[in-house]
Amino acid sequence: MKKEDILKTAETLITGQRAEDYGSVYDNFSNIAEMWSILLKTPVSCSDVALCMATVKMCRLIKTPDHEDSWVDLAGYAAIGGELASCEH
């Protein structure tokens, strides 16, 4: 998969069907951050959620570096994290 295809696919996913399935990325990641904050007993931000989800994808890629979906998801989480981080500060 070419880099352009990875980015285009990630954009389609995070602005299309997944946005429809899970609602706004801010609301979804805020809910996750709130639950993780309770579970971990430490404050978790929305951009922290994006970083943690990206880390999950990186760990999976260590085992299966040719798994295209994980690369797409990693790009998506990077884009989401960058947007959320700019809103948090």
Side-chain angles (χ1 to χ4, degrees):
M1 185 176 242
K2 293 183 177 185
K3 61 185 174 286
E4 296 87 356
D5 296 330
I6 291 170
L7 293 171
K8 286 176 190 172
T9 303
E11 179 183 23
T12 299
L13 289 172
I14 64 175
T15 61
Q17 188 61 47
R18 290 193 184 157
E20 291 176 28
D21 290 343
Y22 304 119
S24 82
V25 72
Y26 178 78
D27 290 343
N28 182 252
F29 278 54
S30 291
N31 289 337
I32 295 168
E34 186 176 335
M35 293 296 289
W36 286 2
S37 294
I38 293 166
L39 179 67
L40 300 171
K41 297 179 178 128
T42 191
V44 175
S45 69
C46 293
S47 60
D48 290 336
V49 171
L51 284 170
C52 290
M53 296 304 293
T55 301
V56 168
K57 295 302 174 175
M58 287 186 281
C59 289
R60 289 181 177 175
L61 285 163
I62 290 168
K63 180 73 174 165
T64 55
D66 60 339
H67 195 259
E68 291 178 355
D69 286 346
S70 290
W71 287 110
V72 169
D73 289 345
L74 180 59
Y77 287 126
I80 289 168
E83 180 177 308
L84 293 172
S86 68
C87 296
E88 294 172 341
H89 295 60

